[in-house]
Coordinates of all heavy atoms in Angstrom, one line a residue:
Chain I
M288 N 93.3 114.4 91.2 CA 94.2 115.5 91.1 C 94.9 115.6 89.8 O 95.7 116.6 89.6 CB 95.3 115.3 92.3 CG 94.7 115.4 93.6 SD 95.9 115.4 94.9 CE 96.3 113.7 95.0
T289 N 94.7 114.7 88.9 CA 95.4 114.7 87.6 C 94.8 115.8 86.7 O 93.7 116.2 86.9 CB 95.4 113.4 86.9 OG1 94.0 113.0 86.8 CG2 96.2 112.3 87.7
D290 N 95.6 116.3 85.7 CA 95.1 117.3 84.9 C 93.9 117.0 84.1 O 93.0 117.8 83.9 CB 96.3 117.7 83.9 CG 97.4 118.5 84.6 OD1 97.1 119.0 85.7 OD2 98.5 118.5 84.1
D291 N 93.8 115.7 83.6 CA 92.7 115.3 82.9 C 91.7 114.6 83.8 O 90.9 113.8 83.3 CB 93.0 114.4 81.7 CG 93.9 113.3 82.0 OD1 94.3 113.2 83.2 OD2 94.3 112.5 81.2
G292 N 91.7 114.8 85.0 CA 90.9 114.2 86.0 C 89.4 114.6 85.9 O 89.1 115.6 85.1
P293 N 88.5 114.0 86.6 CA 87.1 114.2 86.5 C 86.7 115.5 87.2 O 87.4 116.1 87.9 CB 86.5 113.0 87.1 CG 87.5 112.4 88.0 CD 88.8 112.9 87.5
L294 N 85.4 115.9 86.9 CA 84.8 117.1 87.6 C 84.7 116.9 89.1 O 85.0 117.8 89.8 CB 83.5 117.4 86.9 CG 82.5 118.4 87.7 CD1 83.1 119.8 87.6 CD2 81.1 118.3 87.1
L295 N 84.2 115.8 89.5 CA 83.9 115.7 90.9 C 84.0 114.2 91.4 O 84.1 113.3 90.6 CB 82.5 116.2 91.3 CG 81.3 115.6 90.6 CD1 80.8 114.4 91.4 CD2 80.2 116.6 90.6
M296 N 84.1 114.1 92.7 CA 83.9 112.8 93.3 C 83.2 112.9 94.6 O 83.2 113.9 95.2 CB 85.2 112.0 93.5 CG 86.1 112.5 94.6 SD 87.7 111.6 94.6 CE 87.3 110.1 95.5
I297 N 82.5 111.8 95.0 CA 81.8 111.8 96.2 C 82.7 111.1 97.2 O 83.1 109.9 97.0 CB 80.4 111.0 96.1 CG1 79.6 111.5 95.0 CG2 79.7 111.0 97.4 CD1 79.1 112.9 95.1
S298 N 83.0 111.8 98.3 CA 83.9 111.2 99.3 C 83.7 111.9 100.6 O 83.1 113.0 100.7 CB 85.3 111.3 98.9 OG 86.2 110.7 99.8
G299 N 84.1 111.2 101.7 CA 84.0 111.8 103.0 C 84.9 113.0 103.2 O 85.8 113.3 102.4
D300 N 84.8 113.7 104.4 CA 85.6 114.9 104.6 C 87.1 114.5 104.9 O 87.9 115.5 104.9 CB 85.0 115.7 105.8 CG 84.7 114.8 107.0 OD1 85.1 113.6 107.0 OD2 84.2 115.4 108.0
W301 N 87.4 113.3 105.0 CA 88.8 112.9 105.1 C 89.6 113.2 103.8 O 90.9 113.3 103.9 CB 89.0 111.4 105.4 CG 88.2 110.5 104.6 CD1 88.5 110.0 103.4 CD2 86.9 110.0 104.9 NE1 87.5 109.2 102.9 CE2 86.5 109.2 103.8 CE3 86.0 110.2 105.9 CZ2 85.2 108.6 103.7 CZ3 84.8 109.5 105.9 CH2 84.4 108.7 104.8
L302 N 88.9 113.4 102.7 CA 89.6 113.7 101.5 C 90.3 115.1 101.5 O 91.4 115.3 100.9 CB 88.6 113.7 100.3 CG 89.2 113.7 98.9 CD1 90.1 112.5 98.7 CD2 88.1 113.7 97.9
H303 N 89.7 116.0 102.3 CA 90.3 117.3 102.5 C 91.8 117.2 103.0 O 92.7 117.8 102.4 CB 89.5 118.1 103.4 CG 90.0 119.5 103.7 ND1 90.1 120.5 102.8 CD2 90.5 120.0 104.9 CE1 90.7 121.5 103.4 NE2 90.9 121.3 104.6
G304 N 92.0 116.4 104.0 CA 93.3 116.3 104.6 C 94.3 115.7 103.6 O 95.4 116.1 103.5
Y305 N 93.8 114.7 102.7 CA 94.6 114.1 101.8 C 95.1 115.1 100.7 O 96.2 115.2 100.3 CB 93.9 112.9 101.1 CG 94.7 112.1 100.2 CD1 95.7 111.2 100.7 CD2 94.6 112.2 98.8 CE1 96.5 110.5 99.8 CE2 95.4 111.5 97.9 CZ 96.3 110.6 98.5 OH 97.1 109.9 97.6
F306 N 94.1 115.9 100.2 CA 94.4 116.9 99.2 C 95.4 117.9 99.7 O 96.3 118.3 99.1 CB 93.1 117.6 98.7 CG 92.3 116.9 97.8 CD1 91.0 117.2 97.5 CD2 92.8 115.8 97.1 CE1 90.2 116.5 96.6 CE2 92.0 115.1 96.1 CZ 90.7 115.4 95.9
K307 N 95.2 118.3 101.0 CA 96.1 119.3 101.6 C 97.5 118.8 101.7 O 98.4 119.5 101.4 CB 95.5 119.6 103.0 CG 95.1 121.1 103.1 CD 94.7 121.7 104.4 CE 95.0 121.0 105.7 NZ 94.5 121.8 106.8
S308 N 97.6 117.5 102.1 CA 98.9 116.9 102.2 C 99.6 116.8 100.9 O 100.9 116.7 100.8 CB 98.8 115.5 102.9 OG 98.3 114.6 102.0
K309 N 98.9 116.7 99.8 CA 99.5 116.7 98.4 C 99.6 118.1 97.8 O 100.0 118.2 96.6 CB 98.6 115.8 97.5 CG 98.4 114.4 98.0 CD 99.6 113.5 97.6 CE 99.5 112.2 98.3 NZ 100.7 111.3 98.1

Side-chain angles (χ1 to χ4, degrees):
Chain I
M288 294 186 286
T289 53
D290 288 340
D291 52 357
L294 166 67
L295 60 85
M296 76 185 274
I297 307 296
S298 180
D300 49 6
W301 47 85
L302 191 60
H303 176 65
Y305 186 75
F306 281 164
K307 246 185 14 180
S308 73
K309 300 279 172 185

